[in-house]
Amino acid sequence: MKKIGIGIIGAGRIGKLHAKSITYHIPEAEIAIISDPVIDVAKAVAGELSIPQYVADYKEVLKCPNVDAVLICSPTDTHADIAIEAARLGKHIFCEKPVDREIEKIVETKKVVEACKVKMQIGFNRRFDHNHKRVRDLAKSGVLGDIHVVKITSRDPEPPPAAYVRVSGGLFLDMAIHDFDMARFQSGSEVEEVFACGAVLVDPAIGKEGDIDTAIVTLKFKNGALGVIDNSRKAVYGYDQRVEVFGSKGMASGENDCPTTVRVSTAAEVSSDKPQYFFLQRYMESFVDEMKAFIDAVRRDAPVPVGIDDGLKPVVIAKAALKSLRENRPVRCDEIYRF
Amino acid sequence: MKKIGIGIIGAGRIGKLHAKSITYHIPEAEIAIISDPVIDVAKAVAGELSIPQYVADYKEVLKCPNVDAVLICSPTDTHADIAIEAARLGKHIFCEKPVDREIEKIVETKKVVEACKVKMQIGFNRRFDHNHKRVRDLAKSGVLGDIHVVKITSRDPEPPPAAYVRVSGGLFLDMAIHDFDMARFQSGSEVEEVFACGAVLVDPAIGKEGDIDTAIVTLKFKNGALGVIDNSRKAVYGYDQRVEVFGSKGMASGENDCPTTVRVSTAAEVSSDKPQYFFLQRYMESFVDEMKAFIDAVRRDAPVPVGIDDGLKPVVIAKAALKSLRENRPVRCDEIYRF
Amino acid sequence: MKKIGIGIIGAGRIGKLHAKSITYHIPEAEIAIISDPVIDVAKAVAGELSIPQYVADYKEVLKCPNVDAVLICSPTDTHADIAIEAARLGKHIFCEKPVDREIEKIVETKKVVEACKVKMQIGFNRRFDHNHKRVRDLAKSGVLGDIHVVKITSRDPEPPPAAYVRVSGGLFLDMAIHDFDMARFQSGSEVEEVFACGAVLVDPAIGKEGDIDTAIVTLKFKNGALGVIDNSRKAVYGYDQRVEVFGSKGMASGENDCPTTVRVSTAAEVSSDKPQYFFLQRYMESFVDEMKAFIDAVRRDAPVPVGIDDGLKPVVIAKAALKSLRENRPVRCDEIYRF
Amino acid sequence: MKKIGIGIIGAGRIGKLHAKSITYHIPEAEIAIISDPVIDVAKAVAGELSIPQYVADYKEVLKCPNVDAVLICSPTDTHADIAIEAARLGKHIFCEKPVDREIEKIVETKKVVEACKVKMQIGFNRRFDHNHKRVRDLAKSGVLGDIHVVKITSRDPEPPPAAYVRVSGGLFLDMAIHDFDMARFQSGSEVEEVFACGAVLVDPAIGKEGDIDTAIVTLKFKNGALGVIDNSRKAVYGYDQRVEVFGSKGMASGENDCPTTVRVSTAAEVSSDKPQYFFLQRYMESFVDEMKAFIDAVRRDAPVPVGIDDGLKPVVIAKAALKSLRENRPVRCDEIYRF
């Protein structure tokens, strides 16, 4: 069977990461070309991974005849336009999250992608994390009964620079967006109403940009279940990523991954490893697995596991959370967008 | 030093439990008399624990000259009146929670108790739990830095009969009241605003009584910290009681206690014990320790660790939660009562 | 039903501990009298626990008409003689371990006890520990299949004074004796051969007394299983008491008990509690439970759970271990004593 | 800097594994050629990993001018001869364990390798396991004080076919050899005396071949510490690989790795994942890391971390264990070979 030809748009951290996944772990695909406006960055990755062609302009990636699918790893504000162009050229799309910060833009992308009948997978890699996936598999299997409560703890080890939150859309759009996706994934349902409670406790500079760094978001799901997410921009002990699903027949809960299992017992105390430091450590395997799933969907002409609606809905929840925070009241998702 | 003379009012489950604590673990105190309207119940406990006198009428306990302090273990709606009577007779008071379901009644009790200069401790035993207390001690020590988030999971193994919730005041007043106290205890601050989200997922009969059986309550504290409590009337795996305090320098988190530490590894899986079944198992030591603290405060004429204000404030929070649930909006505690 | 009348011989640490167990936890028994050569010690315990009579001479305990059973908590070298006297007077016996340091003396005691048809239970309390007992119950239930390996880790937090080991018979007789009993208990079989390997690594003064402070003892059981015990006189992190049973269908393993379940995560590390400090903390409940089992056996005229043979066999194993250590070769138990 | 040219001898499971490590994870090295007597096996690996040349005869690997170092991944009985040939041609050597089953042959190899001044690293990959390495690092750092006891549990998930043990040299040479290396590694000392205790409990067919399937081996180290290893050919719950080092100042202990951290709590029990199934899962990273260390030593002309003596000594210990088992007595290593 012919290998799937891949074009990568954006050779930064995440673009390179996906390039490695394909090169080292997915023999069914082959990278034909990589682009980056900073040509030396594209060149370096192409050199390291023996990618035959590198260019500055992403349009050359889209035009490359050996490309069956593109990975959009460029800055967020370019995602939607590139995706639309790619779709019109009949290329399958893997797009980093969020598709866009504006709902209208995502909806427009969705229309084009669907009209062009190409596949589009969104990079919500955490669904592929071994722990979170196991929790979901248990819930789906019925072992937990009806789902009553989904609890997500999601804390970063370090806050981003305050300047970043100005453009990123803030905590709900750049960070909690993953958790909103996780809430949908774990509940197997849709979020109807959101109440967000936030505070500036980590860094006053973040507050000056009009954002928060600590949040608790309560969710009501269509199936009647409740959800709660707690976020912090700074957990000094490392990346804290835990999911708990509680149901009528039981609970499944995942702990953080640690570098080793070793415990040291001394006269002073018993100590053990801190969690993995950040997402590159914790979620490395999930990045490989999401890419395998994408390639597999393309090859078998099957639906992608995380589609364009999965890219849209967390943005709606994030907007509802933002509105809830500002107006200090619960906000229904259909106040933001009606599906 | 003379032993503290104790009179116990109510010889039911909790009255007997306290009677045993004093008899077996607190040589500094001595039970002089026990009362119960069902005289045979009082007689049985008196017989088992060699208590010299048992009566039907609690007024005889209050009048007994050998009684320095009374333990009020009668039904909730009698707590306040008995406490007021006891205070006027100069008796120190240990009173089971809640002092009353109505705020005015608690305020009235508070005034009398303060005027009579007797001590009054409220039975929020969970503050004395080895795990919760250790979390609080770590927070107080500064190891965790400024407190950002207090998270409490509190789930019962079995729902009460629906008839019970009709008279108990419902989940917030009969169950979460402990968690509201715990939130104040762990945060070292006061709750300013409450948002409650609830559902009937365990037992429709509870819903018919106008109550909920599953809840997520978000709290804003005066010191800027956020809090979240998740409650369920039914965790099939047993009593689930966990507290996590997250701060600028670290996190302290307690797991449930289990009967044994034994793990079994087989071809099918690795399994271990479920949590202790319910509060009599999980919190047994805390009941002894709260009583030790009360006796100690009486003997040394020191302030009690859990005073009448600690009895009042969780009821205010519970009322705010109830109002929040009904009106689906955040409710400030000072809408309920102004201190 | 009449309460079982108890006489306690020896009011030291362990005698007082048993006295408390009976007073507070075993309503089916009643302490009639307590003796101690240091009369003030007996007096103090009698006062605290409302024991009606205290004496200096243990013979008065044996003669006391209200005594159905005696607890022998005096120094080791008096155990056998007192047990023999008690048996001849028709008293049931609970005897602290070891019955004696000499096999002949234990055998003699056994003969008298059996001839007099009284019950005699040996104080191997660890069989009643919640963790160890759970491991054994799992093994007995068949969940683990055929037993292949029994592993016991047993380390004290502090070495005894070197002077003590001179009279105690050394590590194998004063400390590992519990582990030899545990090995028999967990394997459900008898030890046939012993190889002991020892070293002086903790305290040279112990070595000067001809003893060791660190040991690894390998056991061959009659049923074909293997066993291994590792001992140390000093684990700086506290009392280390773990049992692991490995079989054809699975493994059961117990961890140490800790004061709390709380973990603290900071920028430096994740830390948790050390194990309980020593046997009074770790094994407290097991002391109560062994006494309950003894009283129950007496009341129901049923066999005691830990009989005189269970007192004899670990001493035989200890002697074999000692011989093995000295001669640096495996020693069969029947070289020491033939049953 | 020029890449290190690699030739791989043997394209079976372990040869292919190393080939992948180099291709995907070690940009400083480049595979020039791979050989396998079954040419199609060599061809397949070469094709998958874009290795420029594949041959049937290993001698062509040795002669290949682009080869700086060879990886000997052929059957055990060819290791020594190939290593000697390679050394004489000036190639550095990475050799799978054991170097040989006969001590004389290893000694001969050692002489040639040393005379030819090439590097030779032995494939004791477990030293590079994240957990075991962390335990060792802690011991070396002094955190544990003087080492008193090294405990190793090493159990396979499935026994090999009985026919295999006939040629492999048996449990001590094909399985425990890793543990003997681990004992040396963790103790930082040499084994002086061995006592082995074995049984046939898993598979009678193994017994018919004159081997055992269950063993407990006690070790005395030169530095005075004691060691114990327990082995089983069959742990139904998966690969059980734990190391514990106990010292005067503390203990470090590693647990097994599991696929996920998820726990499921139901009315029946709390369950969690079994350990990783076997060495390809558990030790995957360690294979990469040992290869990185080898390439690094070659590039920097530094000593290899696991040298030819480290290949010889575990074989001496294994032979001593075998003799001990047969003669049922402790055997000194210098009875087997004098260094």
Side-chain angles (χ1 to χ4, degrees), chain B residues 53-76:
Chain B
Q53 206 183 344
Y54 60 90
V55 294
D57 187 355
Y58 76 88
K59 286 178 188 289
E60 294 190 49
V61 173
L62 295 184
K63 280 184 284 182
C64 174
N66 294 334
V67 165
D68 302 304
V70 294
L71 315 189
I72 304 178
C73 308
S74 49
T76 295

Side-chain angles (χ1 to χ4, degrees), chain C residues 207-232:
Chain C
K208 277 184 198 147
E209 296 297 341
D211 198 16
I212 53 172
D213 51 36
T214 305
I216 291 171
V217 181
T218 306
L219 308 168
K220 285 184 196 162
F221 295 101
K222 265 207 178 99
N223 64 5
L226 306 179
V228 62
I229 298 165
D230 72 277
N231 292 118
S232 170

Side-chain angles (χ1 to χ4, degrees), chain A residues 293-309:
Chain A
F294 174 64
I295 299 298
D296 193 56
V298 171
R299 293 184 88 214
R300 296 190 301 110
D301 192 16
V304 293
V306 194
I308 177 81
D309 271 344

Side-chain angles (χ1 to χ4, degrees), chain C residues 12-243:
Chain C
R13 186 167 60 177
I14 193 74
K16 184 174 174 184
L17 186 156
H18 289 314
K20 282 189 169 178
S21 293
I22 292 169
T23 306
Y24 296 154
H25 300 288
I26 312 181
E28 296 81 5
E30 197 163 31
I31 307 173
I33 182 168
I34 188 166
S35 75
D36 200 282
V38 187
I39 187 75
D40 282 350
V41 168
K43 184 181 178 183
V45 175
E48 183 179 332
L49 301 175
S50 307
I51 297 170
Q53 204 183 346
Y54 61 91
V55 294
D57 186 355
Y58 76 88
K59 287 179 188 288
E60 294 189 49
V61 172
L62 296 184
K63 279 184 285 182
C64 174
N66 294 334
V67 165
D68 302 303
V70 295
L71 315 189
I72 304 179
C73 307
S74 49
T76 296
D77 56 6
T78 69
H79 288 176
D81 288 338
I82 297 178
I84 287 169
E85 262 184 277
R88 288 189 173 137
L89 290 165
K91 308 295 189 186
H92 298 298
I93 301 159
F94 178 94
C95 182
E96 274 307 316
K97 58 95 236 172
V99 178
D100 199 90
R101 274 184 289 272
E102 295 313 318
I103 289 167
E104 297 67 32
K105 199 89 195 194
I106 307 175
V107 172
E108 186 196 340
T109 309
K110 176 180 146 101
K111 283 179 187 157
V112 175
V113 162
E114 287 176 358
C116 296
K117 293 186 198 302
V118 296
K119 294 176 196 306
M120 180 164 180
Q121 181 171 326
I122 312 303
F124 282 122
N125 60 293
R126 291 187 196 175
R127 292 187 178 211
F128 297 87
D129 174 68
H130 55 159
N131 295 332
H132 303 334
K133 189 173 177 305
R134 171 100 174 111
V135 171
R136 177 59 189 145
D137 288 347
L138 284 159
K140 265 202 298 195
S141 76
V143 165
L144 310 180
D146 296 331
I147 295 178
H148 291 182
V149 178
V150 172
K151 278 172 68 177
I152 298 169
T153 293
S154 177
R155 298 167 184 157
D156 282 356
E158 289 287 349
Y164 170 77
V165 306
R166 202 180 312 155
V167 298
S168 74
L171 184 143
F172 292 137
L173 265 161
D174 76 46
M175 179 181 169
I177 192 89
H178 271 295
D179 307 308
F180 297 139
D181 177 62
M182 186 56 59
R184 294 181 61 241
F185 178 58
Q186 293 292 352
S187 67
S189 182
E190 297 297 340
V191 173
E192 277 196 331
E193 195 175 285
V194 180
F195 178 75
C197 184
V200 181
L201 300 170
V202 172
D203 183 359
I206 288 175
K208 277 184 198 147
E209 296 297 341
D211 198 16
I212 53 172
D213 51 36
T214 305
I216 291 171
V217 181
T218 306
L219 308 168
K220 285 184 196 162
F221 295 101
K222 265 207 178 99
N223 64 5
L226 306 179
V228 62
I229 298 165
D230 72 277
N231 292 118
S232 170
R233 289 286 198 184
K234 180 165 187 174
V236 294
Y237 51 85
Y239 200 38
D240 195 347
Q241 296 281 307
R242 288 172 284 156
V243 167

